[in-house]
Amino acid sequence: MNARTSRTVAAAALVLSMAAVPAGPALAAARAPVPAVTAIQEAADAEVLRAAIAGLPKADATAALVRVAGTDGSWRGSSGVHDLESNRPADPDGRFRTGSVTKVFTAAVVLQLAGEGKLDLNRPARHYLPELIPASYRKVTVRQLLNHTSGIPSVGSGGGTLDEWYAHRFDLHDATDTVREATSHEPDFAPGTQQHYDNIGYTVAGLLIEKVTGHTYAGEVSRRILEPLHLKDTYFPGTDPTIRGPYNHGYQIFTGTDGTGELRDVSVWGATDAWAAGDLISTTADLEHFTRALFRGQVVRGPLLEEMFTLPGASVHEYGTGGPAAYSVGLSMTKLGGREVWGKTGGRWGYNTAVAATRDLSRTLVYSVNATDAKGEGMNPTAMNIVVAAFGAPSSG
């Protein structure tokens, strides 16, 4: 799998598909008895939720942290281990890499700036970044950056295989260089005509935030969202490849040339390649609070919030499916249990994350799964179990 396809599949936000996960013999050998799942304020379907994360660690995941809330009650559960060496129980308050859930924060700040008249969603991005965006992309609007219809192609930033990515896990990446490389290629399609999920639009969006505010991207998100909402366990790591504070270790299956699997601790891994598209570190409690505030209009105020709940009239570019667009500005929508569910998933090596909710907040879900197949093809089985337990099975129509 090349780097472009890997990132595209891994970042697919609640557009759910199941895939078989290779067995992890090293994990099976390391398994040991772990404490039972813990839960408080149990919802009516607590048993189903508990079952979704029972039995960890196992081949596809070493730990899971889950928070469910809404009109049917609340449930908080954790399962698995802090690390495979000590087999201590997973820390339910541990921090983790959120991956592309970062995009929700980036989109929210851009929408705030639009509400303040500091930028226009209908205006070309080149208007704000004329020295960076070439004339060949002069028609790409700010909105198209955020809803993945810009046509700007993906670029590699670490390698074509997992081993190559691992070898370059501490490399530092510059957002401006990434955008220059991407826009040196021909567009994938005319702006607004198709939808192709990737990080590049949000890399440009991060640079837009810095241009119009005169402040760093991380500083603006912190000032506008993290501090007002008191998200004290959420932060941007910058060039630091570690996770500060308490966290549960992430592991990834590396497949050898002989087909056998090896588990490696991938907790320490730089995220400068993702930046405004995927470098945030947080907790389930902070993300739950953020999600509820966002859906209630306390982060993005007024009509601009509707941008996050409006799908563009474009067809899907990936894999020749040609289906309807699934991504809005910052979020995505899928039907689960007969309901529209809006949210965002994210994947970094060793970690899968999601925030999801019905529009009326009658049910919300946040999870972190220490997935051994993070960024793989298809959704992690434990993560899928959590989603189905919380909302019901994927439905069509």
Side-chain angles (χ1 to χ4, degrees):
M1 181 193 310
N2 61 37
R4 172 175 174 172
T5 302
S6 175
R7 286 194 308 276
T8 299
V9 174
L14 291 178
V15 181
L16 304 176
S17 62
M18 293 189 183
V21 179
L27 176 58
R31 289 184 61 177
V34 295
V37 178
T38 58
I40 64 171
Q41 298 178 293
E42 291 197 348
D45 52 359
E47 288 301 323
V48 176
L49 293 165
R50 182 180 290 107
I53 59 173
L56 301 183
K58 56 185 179 181
D60 69 289
T62 59
L65 314 177
V66 181
R67 295 174 75 98
V68 173
T71 54
D72 294 330
S74 301
W75 187 85
R76 303 174 192 174
S78 64
S79 181
V81 295
H82 167 267
D83 65 274
L84 292 174
E85 288 70 34
S86 71
N87 282 305
R88 299 194 338 251
D91 183 347
D93 299 316
R95 294 173 176 174
F96 49 82
R97 303 187 188 281
T98 73
S100 287
V101 172
T102 307
K103 292 181 175 71
V104 189
F105 291 77
T106 304
V109 170
V110 172
L111 292 175
Q112 286 183 1
L113 292 170
E116 296 164 10
K118 294 180 180 177
L119 55 76
D120 186 338
L121 298 179
N122 295 312
R123 183 161 282 182
R126 190 169 190 262
H127 172 81
Y128 304 99
L129 298 167
E131 297 180 357
L132 179 61
I133 307 297
S136 56
Y137 289 93
R138 65 186 179 278
K139 293 184 179 180
V140 173
T141 67
V142 175
R143 180 183 288 105
Q144 289 164 349
L145 294 173
L146 300 176
N147 67 18
H148 306 284
T149 62
S150 70
I152 301 175
S154 309
V155 291
S157 60
T161 68
L162 179 52
D163 283 300
E164 289 175 353
W165 278 88
Y166 185 78
H168 292 277
R169 66 192 182 280
F170 299 132
D171 289 0
L172 300 180
H173 302 268
D174 179 78
T176 300
D177 290 342
T178 299
V179 175
R180 285 201 176 102
E181 180 186 353
T183 56
S184 69
H185 301 285
E186 291 294 317
D188 280 345
F189 47 81
T193 61
Q194 298 182 62
Q195 187 173 75
H196 172 206
Y197 180 89
D198 215 324
N199 287 346
I200 190 62
Y202 280 76
T203 303
V204 180
L207 293 170
L208 275 175
I209 290 170
E210 295 193 336
K211 180 70 173 183
V212 302
T213 65
H215 303 130
T216 67
Y217 160 78
E220 279 299 298
V221 177
S222 297
R223 182 177 69 84
R224 291 170 172 272
I225 299 177
L226 307 189
E227 293 170 10
L229 294 181
H230 304 290
L231 306 182
K232 296 181 180 179
D233 288 312
T234 303
Y235 75 97
F236 294 94
T239 59
D240 184 357
T242 67
I243 301 175
R244 300 199 301 264
Y247 68 94
N248 300 309
H249 288 232
Y251 297 87
Q252 191 78 25
I253 292 177
F254 287 71
T255 304
T257 55
D258 60 355
T260 60
E262 173 199 357
L263 274 180
R264 296 183 196 172
D265 190 327
V266 292
S267 308
V268 180
W269 195 308
T272 57
D273 61 303
W275 192 51
D279 69 344
L280 194 71
I281 290 173
S282 190
T283 63
T284 55
D286 274 7
L287 290 181
E288 181 181 66
H289 182 50
F290 168 71
T291 301
R292 297 183 70 82
L294 179 71
F295 279 49
R296 286 172 174 161
Q298 296 168 345
V299 178
V300 178
R301 303 180 186 278
L304 282 168
L305 179 60
E306 290 306 310
E307 295 283 344
M308 305 191 88
F309 298 98
T310 303
L311 299 176
S315 62
V316 176
H317 178 70
E318 285 98 333
Y319 322 120
T321 60
Y327 301 93
S328 62
V329 171
L331 300 175
S332 73
M333 188 278 289
T334 192
K335 289 189 176 181
L336 298 168
R339 297 179 289 182
E340 286 190 357
V341 177
W342 294 84
K344 189 75 190 72
T345 58
R348 294 293 296 177
W349 306 113
Y351 297 90
N352 281 158
T353 302
V355 298
T358 55
R359 182 71 192 272
D360 62 1
L361 293 175
S362 59
R363 172 141 287 200
T364 65
L365 166 68
V366 177
Y367 70 70
S368 169
V369 173
N370 293 60
T372 62
D373 64 338
K375 299 174 75 68
E377 292 193 55
M379 191 168 184
N380 175 272
T382 295
M384 173 65 84
N385 290 342
I386 294 167
V387 170
V388 172
F391 292 107
S395 53
S396 59

